[in-house]
Amino acid sequence: MIEVRQLAKRFGEVEAVAGVDLSIPRGEIFGIVGPDGAGKTTTLRMLAGLVDGDSGTITIAGRDVRTNPDAVRDRIGYMAQKFGLYGDLTVEENMDFYADLFGVERVTLEPLKLKLLAMTRMTPFRARQAAKLSGGMKQKLALMCTLLHAPEVLLLDEPTNGVDPVSRRDFWLILEELVRGGMTLLVTTAYLDEAERCHRVALMHRGKLIRVGTPAELKAQTPGECYEVEAADVRGLRAQLQGAPGVLSVKPAGASLHVFLRSGALPPIGGGEWRRIEPALEDVFVSVIEGANEH
Ligand SMILES: Nc1ncnc2c1ncn2[C@@H]1O[C@H](COP(=O)(O)OP(=O)(O)O)[C@@H](O)[C@H]1O
Ligand SMILES: [Mg+2]
């Protein structure tokens, strides 16, 4: 459903997107994870046809974004990082506004609205002003507005940013339901627990996808061994371990540390209790990005 070849975009000196390839089949949830400034938003904006790339090609549902932008726009739903809801309009009025914008016919709109409100469990709030919704509910409303023209592909830019954990889980249950219905989903997130819910994940860094695979593949590919380390003085131990021989990365994890050691390296003596663990995606990404920053 999404085919991207060698996509690139530069802003002056900044190579925001530096040769991205993507191939996403129908029904997949594909996640892009990466630090601020990695190029996630610029990538999505190019896919949505809002910004022209400098080079490369983008095909969505078989249509070229550059030569056939209208056909692509009909088939995608793009939810921007700062989606424009109207605070003084109610939930339902916001939906009507976006339906008009996309030229959705009244006859299809009414049943669709009911369906979306039920799916997101927003029916009781349909008459509430958007400004008075919680963060999680605002994001659900933005998602509904994005779905009104029945897109086949959803591009969601950090849709759960700043939303509480319970609402984030709620939001993901909705996304999973959409995908079961045949939707294809490209989502960016800063939350690694969400990346674990994607079928495949790409790690983006400085405009490039430096790792792509299923969460399990990414964990298996990462060189080195992951340990959880407990110590009385975690901060002191962290300072001591950073840059020590054999240590690939050190990351605080609650009251302990997660440490990647080069394969075969032994835990340094003299500090803390070391326990070998299965790395989480977050450990993998910290390790990969710290490795990439060394070059
Ligand atoms: N309109 C713009 N003008 C100039 N620089 C931009 C513009 N949009 C993005 N950038 C730069 O491009 C890089 C990638 O930004 P962005 O795509 O927003 O990353 P992300 O979404 O991963 O945080 C950053 O260095 C950012 O400052
Ligand atoms: Mg962004």
Side-chain angles (χ1 to χ4, degrees):
M1 285 301 275
I2 304 179
E3 291 290 337
V4 174
R5 293 282 164 273
Q6 284 303 302
L7 185 64
K9 176 75 182 176
R10 166 184 282 286
F11 295 107
E13 290 295 290
V14 179
E15 251 190 309
V17 177
V20 160
D21 292 302
L22 280 174
S23 188
I24 304 176
R26 182 186 292 274
E28 185 166 76
I29 305 182
F30 190 96
I32 301 183
V33 183
D36 264 355
K40 304 180 297 295
T41 295
T42 306
T43 302
L44 256 58
R45 286 175 58 83
M46 288 192 283
L47 264 61
L50 299 172
V51 193
D52 277 336
D54 298 333
S55 56
T57 58
I58 304 167
T59 315
I60 294 183
R63 277 89 175 170
D64 189 301
V65 171
R66 202 181 302 258
T67 58
N68 211 346
D70 292 339
V72 170
R73 208 156 298 147
D74 285 345
R75 286 174 174 79
I76 61 165
Y78 170 63
M79 186 171 148
Q81 217 168 333
K82 288 204 171 60
F83 190 86
L85 291 175
Y86 294 88
D88 52 345
L89 297 185
T90 66
V91 165
E92 198 167 354
E93 287 165 349
N94 269 282
M95 293 172 85
D96 291 340
F97 174 84
Y98 277 96
D100 280 347
L101 206 65
F102 278 100
V104 180
E105 309 246 348
R106 284 278 142 189
V107 276
T108 48
L109 178 60
E110 291 308 319
L112 179 59
K113 266 187 349 198
L114 293 181
K115 188 181 138 201
L116 290 173
L117 286 164
M119 183 177 78
T120 57
R121 292 191 279 135
M122 288 283 283
T123 310
F125 309 104
R126 61 196 290 173
R128 187 177 289 190
Q129 280 189 330
K132 296 191 177 132
L133 297 173
S134 70
M137 287 200 272
K138 279 188 184 132
Q139 294 309 86
K140 285 197 217 172
L141 173 55
L143 180 65
M144 287 194 283
C145 292
T146 306
L147 290 169
L148 287 168
H149 61 293
E152 297 168 58
V153 173
L154 273 187
L155 308 171
L156 308 177
D157 199 1
E158 299 201 28
T160 57
N161 197 15
V163 171
D164 70 86
V166 174
S167 305
R168 289 207 284 125
R169 204 190 50 208
D170 242 31
F171 195 89
W172 272 83
L173 291 175
I174 299 168
L175 297 185
E176 281 157 10
E177 188 174 335
L178 290 171
V179 165
R180 277 195 299 277
M183 189 82 78
T184 306
L185 231 141
L186 175 55
V187 57
T188 69
T189 180
Y191 299 107
L192 276 302
D193 60 319
E194 294 187 345
E196 305 258 8
R197 306 184 83 139
C198 297
H199 298 122
R200 284 191 303 148
V201 182
L203 174 59
M204 190 162 200
H205 185 56
R206 296 180 183 155
K208 291 196 165 75
L209 303 186
I210 58 178
R211 289 283 191 288
V212 183
T214 65
E217 283 167 354
L218 294 177
K219 290 174 198 171
Q221 278 167 14
T222 306
E225 282 138 23
C226 193
Y227 290 85
E228 184 166 66
V229 190
E230 294 189 35
D233 176 17
V234 167
R235 289 181 60 188
L237 181 62
R238 184 182 177 199
Q240 186 194 327
L241 287 173
Q242 255 155 356
V247 175
L248 293 171
S249 67
V250 186
K251 175 184 79 69
S256 54
L257 296 174
H258 283 190
V259 180
F260 257 97
L261 294 184
R262 211 177 292 289
S263 274
L266 291 173
I269 33 174
E273 231 173 90
W274 293 64
R275 192 167 62 86
R276 181 81 189 274
I277 57 166
E278 276 296 307
L281 261 189
E282 181 157 9
D283 301 311
V284 168
F285 287 169
V286 169
S287 160
V288 169
I289 286 189
E290 287 190 6
N293 282 336
E294 277 169 20
H295 308 132

